[in-house]
Amino acid sequence: MTHSATSPTTPSSASAPVAVPRLTHPDRFVDRHIGPGPAEIQAMVRTLGYGSLDDLLDKAVPQAIRRARPLALPPALSEPQALEALRTLASRNRVLRSYLGQGYHDCVLPAVIRRNVLENPGWYTQYTPYQAEIAQGRLEGLLTFQTMVADLTGLPIANASMLDEATAAAEAMHMCFAISGAAQRPLILVADDCHPQTIAVVRTRAAPLGITVALAAADTAADARCFAVLLQYPGTDGVVRDLRPRISQAHAAGALAIVACDLLAMTVLLPPGECGADIAVGCAQRFGVPMGFGGPHAGFLATRDEFKRHMPGRIVGMSKDAQGRPALRLALQTREQHIRREKATSNICTAQALLANMAAMYAVYHGPAGLTAIAQRAHLAACMLDAGLVRLGYAAQTGAFFDTLRVTIPHGAAAAMQRRAESSGINLRLLDAETLVVALDETVDESAITALLLVFSAGAGLPRMAEVLVTAAHGWGSLARRTPFLTHPVFHRYHSETEMLRWLRRLEGRDLSLTQSMIPLGSCTMKLNASAEMLPVTWPEFAAIHPFAPLSQIGGYLQLFQDLERWLCEITGFEACSLQPNAGSQGEYAGLLAIMEFQAARGDKPRRACLIPTSAHGTNPASAALCGMQVIAVACDARGNVDLADLTAKAEAHAQDLACLMITYPSTHGVFEHGIREACRIVHAQGGLVYMDGANLNAQVGLVSPGDLGADVCHLNLHKTFCIPHGGGGPGMGPICCTAQLAPYLPGHPAWRGSGRADGTVSAAPWGSALILTIPWMYIAMMGAEGLTSATRVAILNANYIARRLSPYFPVLYTAADGLVAHECILDLRSFKASSGIEVEDVAKRLMDYGFHAPTVSFPVVGTLMIEPTESEAQGELDRFCSAMISIHGEILAIAEGRSDRKDNPLKMAPHTADAVVSATWTHPYTREEAVFPAPWTRDRKFWPPVSRIDSAYGDRNLICSCPPMESYA
């Protein structure tokens, strides 16, 4: 699944350019996206001591790394023009009734969830809930998701979502490999009735670690060679098999059992936990989340309690706050995989928080009775179809099924029948020459069944619906579910729309998002997610398409992909692009695999040495470890730059096995390194390649290109630089761009029907989370070359403005020789601990009282704050944030000078809740007003933290990761 910018492999039907208006619109989108107006820009430039923004940029961005030419992109469109152009693309997609299954099903998204969550910036613009006190709403939603998954799978603990079902299965494989210590028997047995995309991703992820994947019939027993088995339930062909004998055999052989399951089916079938499974994985897509041609959707992973500390991803848990009240936060947070760096068994950094919340809300809205009714409806539809097919002369189903049927078409005529169905507006799955698979869903009614029977009747008379309307569903015998699920009151309380609406609004009000204030997180680029960019996500021409629909039906998507690949290659200076990785961490992994495959193809012996600066994101060494690489740390100098002498020494020492250098640019320390070209030359001289982490691309677009600097491959965080919203911790997208020599080694996919690789699959769907690619398409189309470049220029201006305003109070840790930074700056707070007892966490919590989310805490240096204002924040908001930080500095100084108590002060007690300040007693030596109204604007627009400071250690000692009794919320 690769496309080259110079020779696209998409079908000719998608290659015609979209005709768009060329008349300049008076209302330019760039002026809406960029926060500061011309007068503000000039005022900030003067504050920095420069005559113009050009003068500032000439100093901040070294001339030696500048692009030689401006970006060659189409002229910028206005919002109406871009929406019209995208409508034209959408019209090229044909939305058929897809009964293709493979883990993807049509479903009904309740309007109250669509309008108040999916389309609501109060839900989709939040950041990952690391500052838990102001993230209680989405944490409650994620805890509900975990409870839902645990209940339905019959296992005691689930995490807060995975990227998709296929990567969840691969993560479960890594987890079992680590648990079992299976180096002496590195074999996983995978049932051949698993979904093809799951098998493909598991194979990709197994190979670098020396794990052998053995594909076997579904009833094959494990033996002593296996460390794990992977089973599908129901199978990809719809058959419901009794997993208990297989799992018992696996356990007897010393292997662990992974079951990929369908959550809706688990409302009526014996859950994996009761079958003996050790881990259950899957996807919650059919719980109200559109198919979206592949995503984003919330994968899941549940396991036994004894394995919880091996789980990948995030886990939400219950703790208590300073007043002893229940409060939520990320549990076991210090064991998050990317924090473990090269010791990690997973590289996951993001999740699918927004989609997990939607799926949980779907379960809350329907409750256990409603979900069971939906499942029974889908099963009844399958029974009716089966009965009708029997009356048409087809063989009855053998064995149990849920909502998916195998239909045998004699004489090798299945493909012809599939074509007949497509001509009738229906997509069916071709399993082999004589077998079609029909996967039904909650949207199917009697007319849909009639339409299917008409296809299979091949012109013969149809049975009357009354004749096929069965009165009872097929029984599952001992495989029927008998244990209750979703018993917590949250799944029984909010079934009316009034109650549901109020619950959603209550949760939203317990979270701080970009709708309230700037979220100045360094390296996370929390910029505007424009409404015009978000609107197309809900268009059915994009949202209602199955990821394995024929390419002839997705001309609009193919053109969108081709446009994005071409534009991203132009922006990065590379020749080829893959849109498949559905997170930045997956992009890292795919890029490293491409490097290794290229080196193997040119005849090198395996190269495993990966040089990574000590300042790198934690996902860098984690991704390298998952590729079987040896991580070698490279030192940084006093200014935060990569130490070129150390890099040279280590590149030479590992010349025979040097695979690559992984480097972030601008550096994680927030500066443009002048020696970047030399760093690339040093690595290339020893036969290695250069992987550039694109997390900080927001400082490059239009001014600098990774390809021009000497990098060979680069991933792009579309949820950062290109405006896909963070969604409270996901979704994200991490496509990679690379040189022409690496293009043949970009990810493939088993569903790809064109040229290119069929292996190296890193995501469940061919183009990853394709639905949200409409967002960066809109952003680039509306900004154009000039707008994108202006955004970069202002991002650098805003960061330097904050650095200059705050440097008299908080030293800026790293700067270039001229005292300037790139698009972010690091404030050093370490000295305050000795003088006042104040630590960086205290400042982070106190900022909540001022109405701000904290910047990035203690990364990349412990005891610091890394600030990235982005280009979207106007000078007024920057000044408000600076005023808050300066005021906090005054509070710290009061402690250091003895005017404020060292232990009982506004910082140590922060954040302050409404409950605390209206209580009958107030024992603090500072006033209630000082606590909650520390700045003038807090009187006009106060965000009240719903809980006070959370005791994370207590929560880890008393781990509760599913919904507690409702009285605990009182």
Side-chain angles (χ1 to χ4, degrees):
M1 183 52 51
T2 63
H3 301 290
S4 165
T6 54
S7 56
T9 59
T10 44
S12 58
S13 61
S15 60
V18 178
V20 294
R22 296 301 184 193
L23 187 63
T24 302
H25 198 281
D27 188 7
R28 303 190 315 157
F29 174 76
V30 63
D31 298 326
R32 307 295 186 185
H33 176 81
I34 294 177
E40 291 178 321
I41 290 173
Q42 193 56 39
M44 287 191 285
V45 167
R46 285 197 299 269
T47 298
L48 291 167
Y50 292 91
S52 68
L53 183 54
D54 285 336
D55 293 339
L56 170 65
L57 269 294
D58 286 343
K59 291 291 186 181
V61 186
Q63 289 296 325
I65 66 167
R66 291 286 193 97
R67 285 181 61 99
R69 58 179 179 79
L71 293 172
L73 296 172
L77 304 178
S78 67
E79 290 187 21
Q81 289 170 333
L83 288 168
E84 180 183 352
L86 196 57
R87 277 286 187 195
T88 300
L89 289 188
S91 69
R92 296 184 182 179
N93 293 331
R94 296 171 55 215
V95 182
L96 275 63
R97 289 298 298 262
S98 288
Y99 303 118
L100 296 166
Q102 289 182 244
Y104 300 92
H105 302 263
D106 201 2
C107 58
V108 178
L109 171 58
V112 65
I113 299 175
R114 168 176 166 162
R115 183 173 180 83
N116 294 286
V117 180
L118 178 59
E119 299 177 343
N120 181 359
W123 276 97
Y124 63 68
T125 65
Q126 306 148 327
Y127 182 59
T128 304
Y130 292 125
Q131 296 297 330
E133 291 84 355
I134 50 175
Q136 289 296 293
R138 103 199 66 137
L139 284 169
E140 185 174 331
L142 292 173
L143 190 72
T144 305
F145 175 83
Q146 291 176 183
T147 303
M148 173 191 80
V149 171
D151 277 10
L152 289 172
T153 60
L155 288 162
I157 186 168
N159 66 12
S161 76
M162 303 293 282
L163 298 174
D164 56 38
E165 180 171 335
T167 54
E171 294 287 348
M173 173 186 67
H174 287 307
M175 185 175 158
C176 291
F177 193 63
I179 291 169
S180 61
Q184 301 306 312
R185 50 173 190 165
L187 176 73
I188 181 170
L189 191 65
V190 177
D192 61 3
D193 67 341
C194 288
H195 297 316
Q197 70 273 18
T198 299
I199 296 170
V201 172
V202 166
R203 279 178 164 155
T204 296
R205 296 279 291 271
L209 299 182
I211 297 173
T212 300
V213 176
L215 200 63
D219 58 354
T220 303
D223 58 36
R225 298 173 301 156
C226 304
F227 70 87
V229 297
L230 172 61
L231 311 171
Q232 190 83 44
Y233 181 60
T236 192
D237 57 358
V239 177
V240 177
R241 296 176 173 86
D242 189 347
L243 303 183
R244 289 171 292 185
R246 283 289 307 277
I247 292 174
S248 295
Q249 292 163 352
H251 287 161
L256 298 172
I258 307 164
V259 175
C261 62
D262 181 322
L263 276 189
L264 189 63
M266 296 307 99
T267 65
V268 293
L269 294 178
L270 193 69
E274 294 180 32
C275 294
D278 300 290
I279 303 174
V281 298
C283 180
Q285 177 268 316
R286 66 188 311 179
F287 277 30
V289 180
M291 291 184 290
F293 198 52
H297 310 131
F300 63 82
L301 187 150
T303 190
R304 300 191 180 281
D305 185 72
E306 58 263 38
F307 300 147
K308 60 179 175 282
R309 293 182 183 273
H310 292 274
M311 291 180 74
R314 301 180 182 130
I315 307 172
V316 176
M318 177 69 69
S319 187
K320 64 178 182 178
D321 72 357
Q323 274 68 53
R325 297 171 301 182
L328 301 171
R329 93 290 183 234
L330 292 179
L332 307 176
Q333 190 164 328
T334 56
R335 41 94 10 232
E336 262 202 274
Q337 291 283 1
H338 67 280
I339 296 172
R340 296 173 62 188
R341 302 174 70 86
E342 67 272 13
K343 294 181 176 64
T345 55
S346 168
N347 67 344
I348 285 183
C349 182
T350 58
Q352 300 284 22
L354 180 67
L355 297 314
N357 273 320
M358 289 174 60
M361 290 157 188
Y362 177 93
V364 168
Y365 191 54
H366 290 292
L371 292 179
T372 302
I374 291 169
Q376 290 172 338
R377 173 188 171 89
H379 178 62
L380 179 61
C383 293
M384 293 170 66
L385 179 60
D386 182 40
L389 289 170
V390 169
R391 289 181 177 272
L392 289 175
Y394 293 90
Q397 296 295 303
T398 56
F401 60 88
F402 170 54
D403 62 0
T404 300
L405 305 179
R406 289 175 60 113
V407 184
T408 300
I409 313 296
H411 313 301
M417 187 68 76
Q418 183 192 43
R419 291 192 295 271
R420 173 183 169 85
E422 185 177 354
S423 67
S424 300
I426 296 171
N427 285 326
L428 301 178
R429 180 182 171 197
L430 182 67
L431 194 63
D432 56 48
E434 294 194 339
T435 311
L436 290 175
V437 174
V438 187
L440 304 183
D441 54 61
E442 68 167 297
T443 69
V444 172
D445 56 17
E446 292 183 11
S447 65
I449 295 171
T450 300
L452 282 165
L453 290 173
L454 187 61
V455 168
F456 286 104
S457 71
L462 284 180
R464 290 181 301 169
M465 190 54 61
E467 296 174 348
V468 301
L469 183 57
V470 291
T471 57
H474 288 197
W476 293 293
S478 64
L479 291 178
R481 182 169 193 137
R482 292 176 173 82
T483 52
F485 58 91
L486 306 188
T487 58
H488 190 274
V490 73
F491 298 105
H492 297 264
R493 182 173 175 180
Y494 306 111
H495 296 164
S496 76
E497 181 159 338
T498 301
E499 287 293 319
M500 185 70 179
L501 175 64
R502 289 171 182 163
W503 183 59
L504 295 177
R505 288 295 186 179
R506 180 179 70 81
L507 296 187
E508 180 189 347
R510 293 166 67 81
D511 268 24
L512 188 143
S513 68
L514 281 173
T515 63
Q516 278 100 12
S517 65
M518 174 173 70
I519 300 179
L521 287 149
S523 195
C524 289
T525 318
M526 299 290 293
K527 63 205 285 182
L528 172 70
N529 312 125
S531 298
E533 294 160 4
M534 300 301 296
L535 283 175
V537 168
T538 58
W539 293 354
E541 295 89 347
F542 290 121
I545 294 183
H546 194 284
F548 305 131
L551 296 184
S552 60
Q553 297 171 16
I554 57 164
Y557 259 126
L558 292 175
Q559 183 65 58
L560 182 144
F561 301 150
Q562 185 174 308
D563 289 345
L564 264 182
E565 289 162 357
R566 185 175 64 252
W567 296 346
L568 294 177
C569 284
E570 171 62 20
I571 288 166
T572 59
F574 286 117
E575 290 78 34
C577 175
S578 170
L579 300 172
Q580 188 181 120
N582 57 1
S585 58
Q586 305 306 98
E588 289 178 10
Y589 185 80
L592 292 177
L593 283 187
I595 288 173
M596 295 171 69
E597 290 289 330
F598 164 74
Q599 290 170 335
R602 70 181 182 185
D604 284 359
K605 68 175 186 178
R607 287 176 168 257
R608 299 291 184 182
C610 180
L611 306 179
I612 302 180
T614 55
S615 63
H617 293 101
T619 52
N620 286 186
S623 295
L626 287 186
C627 287
M629 292 181 165
Q630 176 191 5
V631 175
I632 298 157
V634 177
C636 293
D637 63 22
R639 287 193 172 274
N641 301 317
V642 173
D643 185 327
L644 294 180
D646 190 51
L647 176 65
T648 300
K650 288 173 178 172
E652 291 176 350
H654 294 274
Q656 298 304 309
D657 65 342
L658 179 59
C660 63
L661 164 71
M662 294 187 81
I663 189 168
T664 303
Y665 199 80
S667 77
T668 311
H669 290 146
V671 294
F672 286 101
E673 299 192 28
H674 290 241
I676 182 63
R677 292 185 188 277
E678 177 63 12
C680 294
R681 188 200 64 76
I682 291 167
V683 173
H684 287 152
Q686 304 301 335
L689 298 184
V690 176
Y691 181 100
M692 184 170 286
D693 184 321
N696 293 338
L697 197 73
N698 208 48
Q700 292 193 50
V701 179
L703 299 180
V704 180
S705 293
D708 295 343
L709 297 177
D712 299 284
V713 59
C714 175
H715 87 264
L716 317 176
N717 293 103
L718 299 188
H719 53 289
K720 295 181 181 180
T721 302
F722 295 97
C723 293
I724 291 175
H726 285 64
M733 278 291 277
I736 52 176
C737 295
C738 65
T739 60
Q741 68 178 359
L742 290 180
Y745 309 102
L746 291 175
H749 197 279
W752 177 237
R753 298 166 177 81
S755 59
R757 292 180 71 188
D759 59 358
T761 309
V762 296
S763 298
W767 284 274
S769 296
L771 177 60
I772 53 174
L773 291 176
T774 56
I775 299 168
W777 190 97
M778 284 290 295
Y779 173 63
I780 296 172
M782 292 189 295
M783 292 290 281
E786 182 181 349
L788 291 173
T789 306
S790 295
T792 306
R793 289 158 56 89
V794 175
I796 295 171
L797 168 65
N798 281 359
N800 279 282
Y801 179 72
I802 283 184
R804 180 63 58 85
R805 282 212 58 195
L806 294 183
S807 59
Y809 309 93
F810 305 94
V812 177
L813 187 57
Y814 297 115
T815 65
D818 48 22
L820 296 174
V821 298
H823 65 309
E824 59 192 12
C825 60
I826 299 175
L827 303 185
D828 191 351
L829 279 65
R830 291 173 292 184
S831 65
F832 297 127
K833 184 175 182 179
S835 64
S836 62
I838 294 300
E839 300 185 58
V840 66
E841 182 184 18
D842 301 319
V843 176
K845 304 308 180 189
R846 182 57 170 158
L847 274 168
M848 298 175 189
D849 291 329
Y850 287 82
F852 284 104
H853 194 292
T856 303
V857 175
S858 290
F859 177 81
V861 180
V862 174
T864 66
L865 291 175
M866 182 161 62
I867 302 170
E868 181 180 357
T870 83
E871 70 275 11
S872 295
E873 300 297 344
Q875 185 183 10
E877 186 73 354
L878 304 183
D879 285 336
R880 197 167 69 92
F881 174 76
C882 290
S883 295
M885 289 294 295
I886 293 168
S887 178
I888 289 173
H889 180 270
E891 295 173 345
I892 297 172
L893 192 62
I895 300 167
E897 294 175 350
R899 293 180 285 112
S900 185
D901 188 86
R902 195 174 178 93
K903 293 184 177 179
D904 191 354
N905 56 67
L907 284 100
K908 286 294 183 184
M909 297 297 109
H912 298 84
T913 64
D915 282 349
V917 296
V918 301
S919 64
T921 58
W922 180 262
T923 60
H924 304 296
Y926 52 95
T927 69
R928 301 175 198 246
E929 184 176 36
E930 289 173 321
V932 299
F933 295 130
W937 63 80
T938 57
R939 293 183 177 275
D940 296 328
R941 48 171 177 161
K942 174 69 178 176
F943 178 83
W944 290 98
V947 297
S948 57
R949 195 173 305 197
I950 296 173
D951 186 342
S952 292
Y954 174 87
D956 284 347
R957 290 193 304 268
N958 305 274
L959 193 62
I960 301 173
C961 296
S962 59
C963 292
M966 286 298 287
E967 51 267 25
S968 66
Y969 289 94

